[in-house]
Amino acid sequence: MSHDKHHGNDHKGGGHHFILSYKSATLVGLTLLVLTAVTVGIAGIDLGRFNFFVAMVVATIKALLVALIFMNLRNDKLENGIIFGASFMFLAIFFVLTFADLFFRGDVYWKEKGQPFPPIAGVVGKPKFKKAWNQTPEILAHGKQLYAVQCVSCHGADGKGDGPAAAALIPHPRNFHSNEGWKNGRKLTMVFKTLKEGIPGSGMASFATLPAEDRWAVAHYVLSLNGPAEKDSAADFAKIGVDPNKEDAGGSEKPTIPVAVAMERMAEKDTIRVTTIRRPYLMKEGTAEGVGAQIYRTQCASCHGERAQGGVEVKNLGGFPNTIVKTSPIGNVDSGRFQEVVLKGLPGDLMPGHGEFSVSEIRELYNHVRTLKQ
Amino acid sequence: MSHTSAPGENYLTGPKGLKSWLLTVDHKRIGLMYLYTVLSFFLIGGIFALLIRWSLFSPDHKFIDANTYNKFFTYHGAIMVFLVIIPAIPAALGNFILPMMLGAKDVAFPKLNLASYYIFCIGAAFAVSALFFRGADTGWTFYTPYSIRTNTTVILVLCGAFIAGFSSILTGLNFIITTHKLRAKGLTWGRLPLFVWALYATSIIQVLATPVLAITLLLLIFERVFQIGIFDPKLGGDPVLFQHFFWFYSHPAVYIMILPAMGVISEVIPVFSRKPIFGYRAIAYSSFGIALIAFVVWGHHLFVSGQSEFANFLFSLITMFVAVPTGVKVFSWIATMYKGTIRFNAPMLYAFGFLEIFTIGGLTGVFLATLAVDVHLTDTYFVVAHFHYVMVGGTLMGLLAGMHMWFPKMFGKMYSEGAALVGFILVVLGFNITFFPQFILGAQGMPRRYWSYLPEFTFLNQVSTVGSWFLGAGFLWTAIYMGRALFSGAKAPDNPWDSKSLEWQSPSPPPVENFLHEPVVTEWTYEYRPSKA
Amino acid sequence: MSQATVTHHHAHHFASADDEFEAAKQGMWVFLVTEVLMFGGLFVAYGTFRGMYPEMFHEAHKMLSVPMGALNTVFLITSSLTMAMAVTSAQKGLRSRTTGFLAATFLLAGCFLVVKYFEYMHKIHDGLLPAGFFTNHELTNPKAPLFFSLYFVMTGLHGVHVLIGMGLIAWIMIKNQKGYFSPAFYTPVELVGFYWHFVDLVWIYLFPLLYLVS
């Protein structure tokens, strides 16, 4: 680029302004066009996963040419280069750490709909222990391992209730070396129950997300820290819904499901749309002006029409740009559902909740709506 | 210069009339307009806070229904975060003080500065207008998919936050260039006041993080309008991706809120201890340390949202590092006070308040960063208390310290120290009574954002509600005595605190172009000698 | 300001015109940083879904027209070249030549948008729309609508930037004709140039990522 000139102090007090020659600019422009052709050409050849890599390298060379020569970053102040470069550094952080989540979520996430997924109560897959309430050296060792992961932060490494988080928790976490004060009793089944349900009003949370056999294992380990525990009666087992004659560790428990699966389930559940126009009902006049009629007239009629027939055009303020939608007639639902919809509204729909109504008012309203629709 | 101000004339008495204020490009007037606007929103957000606490006075004492309650905490959160604490110190105090500290006549782009104020106002108008439609009930975090489905007018709040974000970006951009290009002769980087360093680090975060908020909110708006489905599981998208996007901005944003407050404290402590600041470089660099770490810890908000175990581990580990630069600052401040000649004026009192409250807030942050503990504490009042201890204790204490410090400079009037002491006691006491019980409630498992609670929690909730009245009274009292000082306060000397930084070397209130003579800096800002008296 | 040459006075809070120029330029760089991160968010979303559903991306991208995308790339790169030449002309004080190059840039940007318009119309006709409105039956992959959500959001946001850029170019073209710029003051031309090159830069990545998925 021998034609580039530095225009020094001849104008503009003290600054050096770099002028890019037409010739260099044209050269760069042509290079960029050639590189575009290269990108398109290479995309036609199958290089496996290298296609993406090559495309990105070529794009980056082009980007560098634009930034360094057209935007003249190569002659600019260093601090401007640092400023512009910093944006890419932080963008890289955004990429890397987001992907640290998204691409390490495990196999569950990748399953297509309809395929079986491993229940989370089976992080371990098949149960390792049969009749997990019987203590064996293996299950005790497993419990010790789990304890180190799940419990130490509050209950401490030695189980004295002195973990790093203990100071903040009131009441303090249980000291397993003492036999006093066990809220649910110092029995294997009761420790299992505590692990499953937590203790309300304390920092002890529910560990129902752990597989049942893991909870048995932890219970075994916790009790092993101090003297023999009380024996479990058949009634105790019944309390936690486990049949000691069967092998299944969780008894009547339902397995919980992973977040990703829950998300898919949620997606399958359809929401009700306002825009569907159903057959308008033919209705009689409402009877005397009771509480229900009054509420209907003041709160419902403006959208659902005088006779609950729907079809009124209303502005959908929640959407943008504002759209006009037709309301639905009030459906034939039982009183329970009616009360629920009136109180909470329909999420994702225009129907707002009316938490201000009392149950008796809603009952009146329900009766009134029914008379409207007869 | 073409027009120098007449002797005795200052920026308040300069050009007169409403128009001269609304169209001003003077950074001092823009700073004041920001201050008034932010304080108005603080009042609105505060009223919502009091109403929330009042509704939680007992489990069945309900004057608002559950849906209204959801809207109230959404308004409280959204207004306080986007319209109060983010702009409070940088845009209000910073606008006024930063150019003066640099010895500049104005910020680098004065018109852009005014534009940023009006963009803020437009954003605020959008956000607040939701109140007059069907409100918003998503919480200030707008989590999908609920924010896509809700039938409230959340879209207005989204537009508001989107627009206000640009105001934040422009302020940050302006401050960066001002600091780079408009320092007075002799004011080298090594001599800059620490408030400038803090604002500079804040500006970097504003510029780097806020665009991601813009694109996040834009995608969410598109989600509602065009059903693009990127964050909507129903259409194949990923709601957890929204949380990544949102927190990539919103975690650094908490440092946008706290760093300027730390800067204020770094100014107050040496002035009122009559000692050079301890660890000048350490404090300056730790601001950058915090700014950098701010960008790599956002995942700790996602520990229980189905994020991968690997990411959980990574984010938990990195989060611990935040404690290091924060600790560097706290220890340096304490070392500055050590053997100093401490004067207990109002700004210094609030600096003490900051140290107490912020340290508790910071340490409970370490609890929450610990993965296993966080699983228990997520979405409980423990988080609420932690957040308020760092944000209210940090930002608001910093704001109050700064307002008391620079009040004489801004208005040329002195407030009553006695009244300030009463206000301080009410605020700090009220704050601790309100929020400390929430740590205990949270540790006992009381979930946040619930309309009602188990009867076991009644007593502590009542304590908290009573505390909120003290806190409210404290702010009201502060407003009263500051308002009084504005009209009938004694005339302030140019440099009532005997400070060395540049803004005090100009008359109070300052002339239109800040200084009567172009300032030249010959020494470090913190060359204080303890008085031998 | 209608006389042939207007001498530019720098704002009084800067020590010199050169300081003002440097400040404005740095301000522009900082602004471009915000642009990088704003578009960056979209690229993260793109990376996420491409990583999750690589086959879907491969299948869906075939619905885009490579010749049209390539043509648009040529338009934008050429416009970047004419913009760079406009800046050079402004620096040399060649007023009419500056206007010529700016007009060429403006026209090329217009061509870009025209091609984009036909592409959009084609997609809309085929029902290749963002997820909620997707009605195309050729694509069987259930996740395919997501690709078009990304396509429309990314190219749409870029298109808005092109529109803004055209407005800016028109603005400095008029100012230039009025003799507002000189070799001593051409800051707005240079800064609009920066902005325009950035718009080009985004497209340089969008083209292979959307049109050439392997």
Side-chain angles (χ1 to χ4, degrees):
Chain A
M1 320 244 156
S2 51
H3 292 266
D4 299 348
K5 279 177 259 172
H6 282 279
H7 278 233
N9 297 335
D10 48 352
H11 56 83
K12 286 215 174 189
H16 54 285
H17 287 260
F18 180 85
I19 297 182
L20 181 69
S21 73
Y22 295 123
K23 194 178 165 194
S24 321
T26 316
L27 266 176
V28 173
L30 286 175
T31 317
L32 289 171
L33 290 176
V34 169
L35 285 173
T36 306
V38 169
T39 320
V40 177
I42 285 183
I45 310 164
D46 186 19
L47 299 172
R49 50 170 42 188
F50 284 103
N51 271 108
F52 175 73
F53 183 69
V54 172
M56 284 300 99
V57 168
V58 175
T60 306
I61 293 171
K62 284 160 78 179
L64 280 174
L65 280 175
V66 172
L68 290 176
I69 297 172
F70 280 170
M71 297 163 94
N72 198 24
L73 202 51
R74 79 200 147 124
N75 293 309
D76 210 331
K77 286 217 166 93
L78 180 64
E79 57 189 41
N80 288 343
I82 293 172
I83 287 170
F84 196 53
S87 66
F88 294 99
M89 191 184 101
F90 283 88
L91 187 56
I93 292 175
F94 194 7
F95 265 98
V96 169
L97 286 177
T98 304
F99 291 173
D101 165 23
L102 290 158
F103 299 120
F104 289 85
R105 278 190 194 162
D107 288 330
V108 178
Y109 200 83
W110 308 95
K111 294 278 182 213
E112 286 299 318
K113 225 181 264 179
Q115 283 190 342
F117 51 86
I120 207 169
V123 180
V124 278
K126 271 190 220 155
K128 281 194 285 241
F129 309 103
K130 284 177 182 171
K131 293 197 175 185
W133 41 90
N134 295 333
Q135 192 181 334
T136 58
E138 291 81 33
I139 199 164
L140 205 56
H142 184 55
K144 188 174 179 181
Q145 240 179 6
L146 285 166
Y147 180 89
V149 179
Q150 303 283 351
C151 318
V152 279
S153 57
C154 297
H155 290 283
D158 305 321
K160 288 182 181 152
D162 56 354
L169 300 176
I170 298 169
H172 288 309
R174 168 95 30 257
N175 174 2
F176 297 125
H177 296 271
S178 154
N179 287 350
E180 304 305 311
W182 293 57
K183 283 249 171 61
N184 287 334
R186 196 167 175 275
K187 290 179 182 175
L188 189 67
T189 47
M190 291 304 112
V191 177
F192 179 82
K193 179 177 182 316
T194 305
L195 282 164
K196 182 181 168 190
E197 295 167 4
I199 298 178
S202 80
M204 180 65 198
S206 157
F207 282 82
T209 47
L210 285 183
E213 56 170 11
D214 282 0
R215 272 176 272 139
W216 285 114
V218 172
H220 281 301
Y221 176 71
V222 161
L223 289 173
S224 74
L225 291 171
N226 194 31
E230 288 174 56
K231 282 274 170 295
D232 298 295
S233 64
D236 290 331
F237 275 102
K239 244 190 239 172
I240 58 169
V242 171
D243 183 352
N245 298 318
K246 289 186 182 159
E247 289 185 349
D248 187 11
S252 56
E253 270 180 40
K254 288 198 182 101
T256 52
I257 58 171
V259 176
V261 178
M263 259 156 51
E264 289 199 355
R265 286 291 148 86
M266 193 163 61
E268 285 164 21
K269 219 176 102 184
D270 215 342
T271 48
I272 306 153
R273 290 274 155 193
V274 223
T275 38
T276 51
I277 301 164
R278 293 177 210 141
R279 186 170 60 84
Y281 295 84
L282 295 169
M283 293 154 219
K284 282 197 300 191
E285 281 295 331
T287 46
E289 177 84 323
V291 178
Q294 268 177 28
I295 294 176
Y296 186 82
R297 193 164 44 76
T298 54
Q299 302 282 333
C300 317
S302 61
C303 288
H304 289 285
E306 289 298 318
R307 297 168 186 193
Q309 78 275 28
V312 179
E313 293 189 336
V314 294
K315 252 188 185 175
N316 179 12
L317 291 169
F320 178 84
N322 282 345
T323 45
I324 305 285
V325 293
K326 280 191 177 171
T327 56
S328 310
I330 296 177
N332 286 318
V333 291
D334 64 338
S335 58
R337 173 68 182 156
F338 185 83
Q339 178 180 329
E340 191 188 336
V341 173
V342 171
L343 278 175
K344 297 181 186 160
L346 291 172
D349 201 331
L350 281 182
M351 174 71 194
H354 290 279
E356 71 269 23
F357 293 153
S358 70
V359 174
S360 65
E361 279 170 339
I362 294 174
R363 200 175 300 130
E364 294 273 349
L365 181 62
Y366 178 68
N367 290 335
H368 177 70
V369 170
R370 276 184 22 158
T371 61
L372 280 181
K373 303 178 70 153
Q374 270 160 15
Chain B
M1 286 302 105
S2 49
H3 56 285
T4 36
S5 39
E9 195 171 78
N10 62 49
Y11 81 101
L12 291 170
T13 59
K16 287 212 168 45
L18 188 64
K19 201 178 148 198
S20 77
W21 278 84
L22 293 180
L23 297 178
T24 183
V25 286
D26 184 342
H27 68 98
K28 297 183 287 301
R29 287 189 166 193
I30 295 172
L32 281 195
M33 295 201 298
Y34 258 120
L35 188 66
Y36 296 142
T37 317
V38 163
L39 290 179
S40 321
F41 286 120
F42 180 64
L43 178 69
I44 299 174
I47 288 171
F48 280 119
L50 288 173
L51 290 174
I52 293 169
R53 279 308 333 156
W54 176 234
S55 130
L56 290 171
F57 189 73
S58 74
D60 46 7
H61 167 87
K62 296 300 167 202
F63 74 104
I64 45 174
D65 65 272
N67 282 321
T68 314
Y69 178 83
N70 289 348
K71 290 178 183 173
F72 277 17
F73 75 66
T74 303
Y75 300 144
H76 168 69
I79 291 176
M80 285 299 202
V81 169
F82 293 113
L83 305 182
V84 180
I85 43 183
I86 286 180
I89 300 186
L93 286 184
N95 241 324
F96 195 103
I97 300 300
L98 177 96
M100 296 202 69
M101 275 187 160
L102 295 171
K105 293 192 185 105
D106 208 323
V107 291
F109 311 115
K111 284 181 198 157
L112 208 59
N113 201 16
L114 184 67
S116 110
Y117 173 73
Y118 283 112
I119 292 171
F120 176 74
C121 288
I122 295 169
F126 261 97
V128 174
S129 69
L131 285 170
F132 302 104
F133 294 97
R134 283 202 307 280
D137 62 351
T138 57
W140 73 276
T141 49
F142 312 120
Y143 272 16
T144 54
Y146 184 67
S147 55
I148 303 173
R149 307 248 188 284
T150 175
N151 59 11
T152 53
T153 37
V154 68
I155 201 155
L156 290 171
V157 185
L158 293 173
C159 290
F162 176 77
I163 297 167
F166 286 100
S167 139
S168 184
I169 290 176
L170 293 180
T171 304
L173 189 151
N174 227 331
F175 283 7
I176 289 178
I177 310 299
T178 309
T179 313
H180 275 222
K181 302 289 181 193
L182 291 179
R183 299 192 305 275
K185 204 174 268 180
L187 191 59
T188 55
W189 286 93
R191 285 175 180 168
L192 281 180
L194 287 165
F195 186 52
V196 175
W197 278 106
L199 281 178
Y200 183 72
T202 309
S203 304
I204 291 177
I205 307 180
Q206 283 176 312
V207 163
L208 286 168
T210 320
V212 177
L213 176 75
I215 196 70
T216 311
L217 297 179
L218 196 65
L219 284 173
L220 192 48
I221 291 168
F222 286 171
E223 203 72 70
R224 283 183 73 94
V225 183
F226 302 121
Q227 303 185 24
I228 54 173
I230 288 173
F231 299 137
D232 188 351
K234 192 180 162 194
L235 298 172
D238 187 334
V240 180
L241 187 66
F242 173 82
Q243 299 185 22
H244 280 292
F245 270 60
F246 184 79
W247 289 111
F248 183 84
Y249 164 74
S250 292
H251 193 77
V254 305
Y255 297 101
I256 296 178
M257 306 171 200
I258 194 68
L259 273 174
M262 290 170 156
V264 172
I265 302 304
S266 306
E267 290 304 315
V268 170
I269 285 180
V271 172
F272 291 92
S273 307
R274 311 310 303 157
K275 262 187 70 189
I277 188 105
F278 180 91
Y280 172 82
R281 268 161 197 275
I283 295 181
Y285 295 158
S286 66
S287 291
F288 289 93
I290 291 176
L292 183 68
I293 295 172
F295 282 93
V296 290
V297 296
W298 79 84
H300 64 223
H301 297 271
L302 284 73
F303 282 163
V304 297
S305 59
Q307 184 179 236
S308 76
E309 296 283 310
F310 173 66
N312 276 351
F313 148 75
L314 208 61
F315 280 118
S316 176
L317 180 74
I318 309 172
T319 303
M320 297 292 174
F321 292 124
V322 183
V324 177
T326 317
V328 165
K329 281 181 189 285
V330 173
F331 290 127
S332 297
W333 291 325
I334 292 171
T336 308
M337 288 191 273
Y338 179 67
K339 285 194 174 171
T341 317
I342 295 177
R343 298 179 297 180
F344 292 89
N345 295 87
M348 191 61 175
L349 291 175
Y350 279 107
F352 286 129
F354 176 93
L355 283 178
E356 184 259 336
I357 294 174
F358 181 76
T359 306
I360 295 178
L363 286 175
T364 48
V366 180
F367 291 28
L368 290 169
T370 312
L371 194 46
V373 183
D374 185 74
V375 172
H376 298 248
L377 295 177
T378 292
D379 278 345
T380 67
Y381 264 82
F382 194 90
V383 178
V384 177
H386 160 72
F387 185 71
H388 284 84
Y389 260 81
V390 281
M391 290 296 101
V392 184
T395 312
L396 277 186
M397 289 292 136
L399 180 68
L400 284 167
M403 276 171 65
H404 284 87
M405 170 118 156
W406 286 302
F407 188 87
K409 178 56 56 186
M410 288 172 146
F411 303 105
K413 298 280 173 63
M414 293 301 283
Y415 49 82
S416 148
E417 284 283 350
L421 179 66
V422 174
F424 167 76
I425 291 170
L426 278 173
V427 168
V428 169
L429 214 64
F431 177 84
N432 281 295
I433 298 173
T434 309
F435 291 106
F436 203 84
Q438 297 186 359
F439 279 125
I440 304 167
L441 284 169
Q444 291 180 345
M446 177 172 163
R448 69 190 290 199
R449 292 180 168 177
Y450 276 32
W451 180 51
S452 188
Y453 47 83
L454 296 174
E456 286 97 316
F457 300 135
T458 310
F459 174 68
L460 286 173
N461 267 293
Q462 287 177 347
V463 172
S464 179
T465 302
V466 172
S468 73
W469 301 338
F470 279 100
L471 190 55
F475 287 126
L476 198 66
W477 176 249
T478 309
I480 290 170
Y481 73 72
M482 284 212 156
R484 242 190 106 224
L486 214 54
F487 293 105
S488 57
K491 191 179 170 353
D494 287 353
N495 191 356
W497 318 123
D498 207 7
S499 167
K500 293 238 171 204
S501 61
L502 274 180
E503 78 272 22
W504 296 104
Q505 317 312 322
S506 159
S508 304
V512 175
E513 295 201 326
N514 293 350
F515 297 95
L516 297 177
H517 312 285
E518 201 162 308
V520 176
V521 181
T522 52
E523 61 174 6
W524 189 44
T525 316
Y526 299 99
E527 292 296 346
Y528 295 105
R529 296 279 167 270
S531 57
K532 292 275 160 58
Chain C
M1 300 255 164
S2 56
Q3 64 270 56
T5 46
V6 182
T7 37
H8 176 76
H9 291 289
H10 62 85
H12 68 277
H13 58 285
F14 286 104
S16 70
D18 209 48
D19 278 4
E20 189 178 29
F21 171 74
E22 287 295 335
K25 193 163 75 167
Q26 194 167 61
M28 194 65 200
W29 279 115
V30 175
F31 172 73
L32 291 185
V33 166
T34 70
E35 289 276 14
V36 169
L37 280 146
M38 185 155 129
F39 275 103
L42 291 178
F43 283 101
V44 171
Y46 173 93
T48 302
F49 291 113
R50 182 160 175 180
M52 280 181 184
Y53 315 113
E55 299 86 9
M56 178 275 275
F57 266 66
H58 185 64
E59 198 185 310
H61 101 278
K62 288 179 187 160
M63 309 304 274
L64 301 184
S65 152
V66 179
M68 277 189 160
L71 183 64
N72 258 349
T73 313
V74 171
F75 282 147
L76 268 198
I77 284 177
T78 317
S79 77
S80 229
L81 171 64
T82 53
M83 190 73 221
M85 287 178 162
V87 174
T88 304
S89 314
Q91 283 171 323
K92 291 182 173 171
L94 307 168
R95 192 194 306 162
S96 53
R97 205 186 269 192
T98 310
T99 308
F101 280 127
L102 287 175
T105 314
F106 188 87
L107 278 180
L108 286 163
C111 292
F112 176 89
L113 285 182
V114 168
V115 172
K116 202 83 241 162
Y117 170 80
F118 283 113
E119 273 192 273
Y120 274 11
M121 282 303 131
H122 189 244
K123 299 290 161 303
I124 291 169
H125 180 257
D126 287 354
L128 298 163
L129 287 163
F133 299 100
F134 190 84
T135 51
N136 185 283
H137 297 293
E138 276 175 69
L139 281 177
T140 47
N141 195 311
K143 301 283 185 187
L146 275 180
F147 179 85
F148 290 94
S149 295
L150 285 167
Y151 169 78
F152 276 105
V153 174
M154 293 174 101
T155 57
L157 191 64
H158 179 260
V160 169
H161 277 78
V162 172
L163 264 179
I164 294 172
M166 285 172 75
L168 291 172
I169 291 166
W171 170 63
I172 53 169
M173 205 152 62
I174 294 165
K175 282 216 152 190
N176 180 59
Q177 258 328 90
K178 286 186 178 169
Y180 199 71
F181 305 124
S182 68
F185 177 73
Y186 55 87
T187 315
V189 187
E190 170 127 20
L191 297 192
V192 170
F194 274 24
Y195 176 86
W196 191 251
H197 294 312
F198 177 79
V199 171
D200 182 29
L201 218 142
V202 173
W203 185 257
I204 284 177
Y205 282 96
L206 283 181
F207 174 57
L209 286 178
L210 291 172
Y211 291 81
L212 306 171
V213 182
S214 47

